[in-house]
Amino acid sequence: MKVAVLPGDGIGPEIIAEALKVLKVLDLKIEFEHADVGGAAYESSGHPLPDSTTKLALASDAVLFGAVGDWKYDKLERALRPEQAILGLRKHLGLYANFRPAICYAELTHASSLKPELINGLDILIIRELTGDIYFGQPKGRRKAVDGPFVGDDEGFDTMRYTRSEIERIMHTAFKAAEKRSKRVTSVDKSNVLETSQLWRDVATEVGKMYPHIELDHMYVDNAAMQLVKEPKKFDVLVTGNMFGDILSDEAAMLTGSIGMLPSASLNSKSQGLYEPSHGSAPDIAGKGLANPLATILSSAMMLRFSLNMESAALRIEKAVQAVLASGLRTPDIYSDGTQRVGTVEMGNAVVAAIK
Ligand code: IPM
Ligand code: MG
């Protein structure tokens, strides 16, 4: 098995280093190959997603990804910004199915901004379509994103589009995931306003008929945003498009109070996948040893499970993380009175020790 390791920017390299330590102690038959991505790649080769990085990703069974982005690149034209690297990888690898679990760990209930009774035991799976929608529609492409006045147009323009087959395949992903959970799917759209969303809802209903044992309901995205803070536990599998999924997955992640804990997986139809923490590159704390490596460590467990067919090793990682949390170790993002504050490296070491 081959894994492309793309640490990226900000805290990316620190958290990836800890995930690699954990993977290596398991002594699995995996070959790791590193490459630059994002701002780091822009510095080394003038492009956030060099061809060599794309080729490596395509030739690997999985990609272990840190994070990209830094304010210092805000002045670059859009095509050269670090974020383009992750969008490019999603497109080139066809990673249409994005899994973003929002789980509230019992030990971290207090870290949420919601009342404990609303979120204890919370376990939502957001499935976000990742290669369509307004993210990959047609921008007009004439506005220059440089510091200073916009030139040329007085209009910004992006198209929202989805095809039937794009919606069908993500719906199958959602129903299959629901089969292994509590057999409920909520499909989120804005079909009271958008034609794209009307197609989304129609196709969701059609595909739903193939899964008569799964309960499907539909919700408008504004209501979903509201219900997530009002009564989050009423959701189980939530499936939605790229743009709404971007927003709702951040909202759901933060409900758990522990965005530093949440992994994510983006898969294509061949089970190749990109695995990354749900949080970003956090340039403000980069290099300080403060970042929580657990989201990345848990992402590597998802990688073992979904792309490398190494379920027992995945479970060993997840159990080790549970044990470390139970022992009271906390990085600053999840620290509370009575627990023991540790840094990035100590947290990684503790997971390694728990595995051993
Ligand atoms: C995410 C991020 C990306 C997105 C950015 C970095 C392009 O916010 O993965 O959620 O919008 O998809
Ligand atoms: Mg996002």
Side-chain angles (χ1 to χ4, degrees), residues 16-84:
I16 286 285
E18 299 312 309
L20 285 177
K21 264 200 301 212
V22 169
L23 286 166
K24 284 180 180 161
V25 80
L26 289 164
D27 201 21
L28 306 164
K29 291 199 167 49
I30 302 176
E31 180 197 330
F32 297 100
E33 193 171 333
H34 289 246
D36 279 342
V37 76
Y42 176 76
E43 304 288 349
S44 63
S45 69
H47 197 280
L49 184 60
D51 287 345
S52 52
T53 300
T54 306
K55 276 198 192 113
L56 171 66
L58 284 167
S60 303
D61 298 287
V63 177
L64 188 59
F65 191 93
V68 290
D70 194 316
W71 306 299
K72 68 182 177 205
Y73 303 113
D74 283 357
K75 291 180 186 159
L76 288 177
E77 63 176 284
R78 194 165 300 281
L80 294 177
R81 291 204 204 164
E83 291 78 6
Q84 294 302 315

Side-chain angles (χ1 to χ4, degrees), residues 7-18:
D9 308 324
I11 58 173
E14 298 161 59
I15 53 182
I16 286 285
E18 299 312 309

Side-chain angles (χ1 to χ4, degrees), residues 100 128 135 246-247 249-250:
R100 297 194 167 180
R128 169 185 175 195
Y135 270 68
D246 179 45
I247 300 164
S249 62
D250 265 26

Side-chain angles (χ1 to χ4, degrees), residues 78-79 84 87 133-144 153 155-161:
R78 194 165 300 281
Q84 294 302 315
L87 297 175
D133 204 346
I134 198 162
Y135 270 68
F136 293 98
Q138 294 293 309
K140 211 162 171 184
R142 293 171 64 193
R143 281 190 142 199
K144 264 201 185 164
D153 277 330
E155 183 191 41
F157 184 90
D158 298 272
T159 51
M160 178 179 266
R161 56 174 295 285

Side-chain angles (χ1 to χ4, degrees), residues 180-254:
K180 296 188 198 136
R181 298 171 54 101
S182 67
K183 308 204 166 24
R184 283 185 297 119
V185 171
T186 304
S187 170
V188 172
D189 63 42
K190 188 71 185 173
S191 59
N192 49 346
V193 177
L194 303 172
E195 189 174 301
T196 326
S197 274
Q198 186 61 57
L199 180 68
W200 181 277
R201 188 172 283 220
D202 293 348
V203 174
T205 305
E206 275 169 43
V207 175
K209 293 196 176 118
M210 296 177 214
Y211 299 84
H213 50 297
I214 309 260
E215 187 189 319
L216 168 68
D217 64 351
H218 303 274
M219 201 180 274
Y220 296 139
V221 62
D222 48 349
N223 187 25
M226 197 166 73
Q227 298 304 326
L228 273 172
V229 286
K230 181 167 176 256
E231 208 186 332
K233 281 194 260 183
K234 81 168 166 207
F235 292 98
D236 189 63
V237 172
L238 188 163
V239 60
T240 189
N242 205 345
M243 182 83 246
F244 301 153
D246 179 45
I247 300 164
L248 294 181
S249 62
D250 265 26
E251 187 189 3
M254 206 58 230

